[in-house]
Amino acid sequence: MNSRKNQLKAFDRLLTIMDELREQCPWDKKQTMETLRHLTIEETYELGDAILDNDLEEVKKELGDVLLHIVFYSKIGSETNDFDIADVCNEICEKLINRHPHIYGNVNVENEDDVKRNWEQLKLKEGKKSVLEGVPRSLPALVKANRVQEKVAGVGFDWEKPQQVWEKVQEELQEFQHEVKAGNKDAMESEFGDVMFSMVNYARFLKINPENALERTNKKFSKRFQYLEGKAKSLNKNLKDMTLAEMDVFWEEAKKL
């Protein structure tokens, strides 16, 4: 691994290149925080894909893309004299020091749960009116549900045992089935949301990240379906002309790969 000297040298090189691109490249000169926003979101998802695939070479590349965006935003901020990369770094350094009094102060903690609770309490002392203020409005619903539950648990609003949460899941499933039988679409949607929310909560108690779990299932399903498509193509068959029994043969093959 690189020494701290070489790490700082590499970061300085990136800052210099960003200065040059912002001054000389027509595309880079034109960008604003707003035009970069959707690209940043895309890069973050690409990093997430690489992490789930455990492709460390790709993780390295995608981290570089995300870092470039951080440097880019900081460069734009410096042009309006609002902030620069040093301000960004110092801001997060101060936050980390203030939010870790068990490292930089005299607070004692026994485990990670104590750390999380302290973190949320400190945020309230910093002036936030609600522990939920830190949850971005534009987060995907599944991710948001998990973060909301983590936040409120950090201030003690939580179940005591996983079994209690599982019983809540069963309760919500029964309520959902009741509305399905009644045929009330609005009520069905509401209860289905409750089922998903309670399942996310149960996953949290089992130390399972629901977003990662669902995405891995998405990838698994896609891989098996593409195998099925490939097999059908090799037989000069169209999937829609095949019976479910025929397709199931290849699906079972795919599950063994």
Side-chain angles (χ1 to χ4, degrees), residues 194-213:
D194 290 347
V195 169
M196 293 187 69
F197 193 83
S198 60
M199 281 298 298
V200 169
N201 214 5
Y202 189 51
R204 180 175 59 86
F205 266 81
L206 299 181
K207 308 299 182 183
I208 295 171
N209 183 293
E211 172 70 17
N212 290 350

Side-chain angles (χ1 to χ4, degrees), residues 51-53 211-221:
I51 291 172
L52 285 182
D53 291 340
E211 172 70 17
N212 290 350
L214 183 57
E215 181 57 16
R216 285 194 171 98
T217 295
N218 288 337
K219 289 177 177 291
K220 179 172 59 179
F221 180 90

Side-chain angles (χ1 to χ4, degrees), residues 160-225:
E160 295 179 350
K161 301 175 183 179
Q163 182 59 31
Q164 294 173 308
V165 189
W166 178 244
E167 290 171 358
K168 183 63 176 177
V169 171
Q170 298 298 311
E171 176 188 323
E172 298 294 355
L173 279 169
Q174 290 177 6
E175 293 177 2
F176 173 59
Q177 283 300 314
H178 174 77
E179 297 301 339
V180 169
K181 292 177 181 178
N184 187 326
K185 289 290 185 180
D186 289 339
M188 284 165 57
E189 181 183 274
S190 176
E191 293 299 339
F192 184 71
D194 290 347
V195 169
M196 293 187 69
F197 193 83
S198 60
M199 281 298 298
V200 169
N201 214 5
Y202 189 51
R204 180 175 59 86
F205 266 81
L206 299 181
K207 308 299 182 183
I208 295 171
N209 183 293
E211 172 70 17
N212 290 350
L214 183 57
E215 181 57 16
R216 285 194 171 98
T217 295
N218 288 337
K219 289 177 177 291
K220 179 172 59 179
F221 180 90
S222 297
K223 182 179 179 181
R224 291 173 180 175
F225 189 78

Side-chain angles (χ1 to χ4, degrees), residues 124-164:
L124 290 176
K125 289 181 181 179
E126 291 169 3
K128 292 190 179 297
K129 297 178 181 179
S130 169
V131 296
L132 299 180
E133 279 188 25
V135 181
R137 296 188 303 273
S138 57
L139 271 182
L142 185 64
V143 179
K144 183 185 290 186
N146 194 45
R147 289 299 291 140
V148 164
Q149 292 167 8
E150 288 178 339
K151 292 284 187 181
V152 299
V155 292
F157 189 77
D158 205 3
W159 300 92
E160 295 179 350
K161 301 175 183 179
Q163 182 59 31
Q164 294 173 308

